[in-house]
Amino acid sequence: MTKNSHHIAILAGDGIGPEIMAEAQRVITWLNDNADTAVDMTPTPVGGAGIDAAGVPLPDDTLDLCKKTDAILFGSVGGPKWDNVAYDLRPEAGLLELRKKLDLFANLRPAKVYDALIDASTLKPDIVKGLDILIVRELTGGVYFGQPRGIETLPDGQRRGFNTQVYTTHEIERVAEVAFDMARKRAKRVCSAEKANVMESGKLWREEITALHGEKHTDIELTHMYADNCAMQLLRNPAQFDVIVTDNLFGDILSDEAAMLTGSLGMLPSASLGAERKDGTRPALFEPIHGSAPDIAGKGIANPLAMIGSVAMMFRYALNRGDIADKLENAIAAVLDKGYRTADIAEQGAKYISTTDMGNALIATLEDI
Ligand code: NAD
């Protein structure tokens, strides 16, 4: 097979970001040496590290690099060191700006329960066994960005806070397209969640998705659910879902709820995709769902598997290498089956290994597969 040459940006960020990214880079280097990949990695600062290096959380050089590369691997940003910087210059603003500048409108949040970690869920094992769902959240529109917004003082002295939930046909269609495409590679079922019963934007959401489905995606089963019912169904019978597509606000909540079904923050990757370019590629950012975990930063005990799972998603969705993604995901399941645990996923009082040793265990497993 020929070598597939790719260039990616490495934005390790702050806290445990650099610790888990080091393991991701070791895994990519192992693949370059032992599989038929050629992924060239360029590290660049972001978040608090961006502030320290260039005075802003998203330095120009970092943004320029991200625009040019095939994919962005992102660790995590934030920490007490930058607690007192101006609000719009805080480390987390770097990630928001990057999403905005690259128009990363589709956020993919898989929630998968590994058999070996089934007891980590607060739900009964028979409810979550084999759980494998994907939430596709609209990420750049809706009430978090809609105008008008603000806080005003009324004539009687009371204050009034307001935001606007707004979606256009185009915004709904493009995220729905991603959801249908994802479902086609999975169990071919999409559930769309909104509040069409009480919100006009929800009514439009339902109508546009139904129309798009009828035009182009009749091979996929489409169902609709009110978002509040969806929140309940995720706890009652999560296995009924394959792909859930929803707006920014409901997606924020439902994707965190789905994450908690798995019980382990350190295990969950994510992807954020932009619009397809003329050459068929998309801007794409891959990151664990957790933050910079300042409480354990520097101790060498962070779980690198969410970061390595994000590498797998990168191979699948940005580098068109589903085979490598499968290999990595199988290796993650295999290290868990072998009993390797970092502190966050170890049972209370049980022995656990360091971040680096988890990286070692994963690479040793890749060698065996
Ligand atoms: P967090 O996700 O960083 O940590 C929550 C808890 O989970 C902590 O106890 C932490 O130790 C643990 N944890 C998280 N990831 C882990 C891992 N890989 N291995 C082992 N344990 C892990 O959330 P938080 O404490 O609310 O936020 C900390 C900082 O991270 C804040 O500055 C916040 O703004 C930032 N943050 C950044 C992102 C991002 O970069 N995308 C996302 C969320 C929060």
Side-chain angles (χ1 to χ4, degrees):
M1 219 189 275
T2 54
K3 283 250 178 187
N4 297 271
S5 181
H6 296 287
H7 186 198
I8 68 169
I10 299 287
L11 279 60
D14 314 316
I16 62 169
E19 298 169 40
I20 56 176
M21 189 64 89
E23 300 313 309
Q25 289 183 263
R26 281 210 299 141
V27 167
I28 294 170
T29 303
W30 185 91
L31 290 167
N32 284 344
D33 293 342
N34 297 279
D36 62 330
T37 63
V39 178
D40 180 30
M41 299 175 266
T42 306
T44 185
V46 74
I51 297 172
D52 291 351
V56 286
L58 183 63
D60 289 345
D61 288 350
T62 297
L63 178 61
D64 288 346
L65 178 75
C66 289
K67 284 182 177 163
K68 284 194 294 230
T69 47
D70 297 308
I72 303 155
L73 264 190
F74 191 99
S76 54
V77 290
K81 183 177 172 193
W82 303 280
D83 271 353
N84 296 321
V85 299
Y87 187 72
D88 56 343
L89 281 183
R90 68 200 191 286
E92 293 80 356
L95 176 59
L96 297 182
E97 195 183 342
L98 192 56
R99 286 178 180 159
K100 199 166 148 196
K101 291 266 163 63
L102 298 180
D103 198 13
L104 302 173
F105 65 84
N107 185 218
L108 313 187
R109 289 273 300 257
K112 186 176 164 131
V113 171
Y114 292 92
D115 281 350
L117 294 184
I118 200 155
D119 291 328
S121 176
T122 48
L123 266 66
K124 293 185 191 123
D126 58 319
I127 304 261
V128 290
K129 188 170 169 42
L131 183 79
D132 183 3
I133 59 185
L134 176 68
I135 299 199
V136 179
R137 166 188 170 193
E138 201 290 325
L139 200 60
T140 52
V143 73
Y144 292 167
F145 296 95
Q147 294 289 345
R149 60 188 296 160
I151 299 177
E152 62 183 14
T153 302
L154 300 173
D156 67 358
Q158 286 195 69
R159 294 201 303 155
R160 176 174 173 266
F162 53 98
N163 294 84
T164 305
Q165 166 82 337
V166 53
Y167 273 108
T168 63
T169 301
H170 171 66
E171 287 172 311
I172 299 167
E173 281 183 350
R174 65 180 185 170
V175 72
E177 286 282 5
V178 171
F180 287 127
D181 284 350
M182 294 293 150
R184 196 161 283 118
K185 294 176 196 137
R186 299 170 45 99
K188 294 198 162 83
R189 288 185 286 120
V190 170
C191 176
S192 169
E194 29 57 10
K195 290 283 287 176
N197 50 343
V198 286
M199 296 170 76
E200 282 74 10
S201 57
K203 186 169 176 295
L204 182 79
W205 182 279
R206 186 178 286 220
E207 287 171 4
E208 297 294 0
I209 288 191
T210 304
L212 182 72
H213 176 253
E215 272 165 40
K216 292 167 70 180
H217 300 289
T218 48
D219 58 320
I220 307 293
E221 179 191 302
L222 173 66
T223 53
H224 302 276
M225 200 177 267
Y226 297 136
D228 49 342
N229 185 26
C230 187
M232 289 194 284
Q233 294 297 330
L234 274 172
L235 295 182
R236 198 182 72 83
N237 176 19
Q240 71 185 284
F241 297 110
D242 177 28
V243 174
I244 295 173
V245 62
T246 190
D247 74 12
N248 203 346
L249 172 63
F250 298 138
D252 196 358
I253 297 163
L254 294 175
S255 62
D256 275 357
E257 186 188 351
M260 278 302 104
L261 296 175
T262 72
S264 39
L265 210 53
M267 291 298 305
L268 294 167
S270 75
S272 300
L273 309 178
E276 213 167 272
R277 305 184 188 104
K278 282 198 182 98
D279 64 1
T281 64
R282 298 170 179 271
L285 180 146
F286 301 87
E287 58 176 329
I289 70 156
H290 60 71
S292 57
D295 53 335
I296 58 164
K299 295 186 178 163
I301 58 168
N303 185 350
L305 293 179
M307 188 75 245
I308 294 168
S310 304
V311 173
M313 289 188 89
M314 174 188 78
F315 275 105
R316 173 164 291 119
Y317 296 121
L319 309 187
N320 203 17
R321 292 299 305 267
D323 58 329
I324 301 286
D326 287 345
K327 196 176 167 80
L328 284 175
E329 284 165 0
N330 290 340
I332 291 171
V335 288
L336 296 173
D337 286 343
K338 288 182 196 167
Y340 292 109
R341 300 283 185 273
T342 42
D344 56 313
I345 51 173
E347 279 179 34
Q348 211 158 14
K351 209 169 150 263
Y352 60 84
I353 60 174
S354 68
T355 309
T356 316
D357 282 343
M358 186 57 104
N360 290 338
L362 191 106
I363 288 171
T365 305
L366 281 172
E367 272 160 9
D368 292 345
I369 289 179

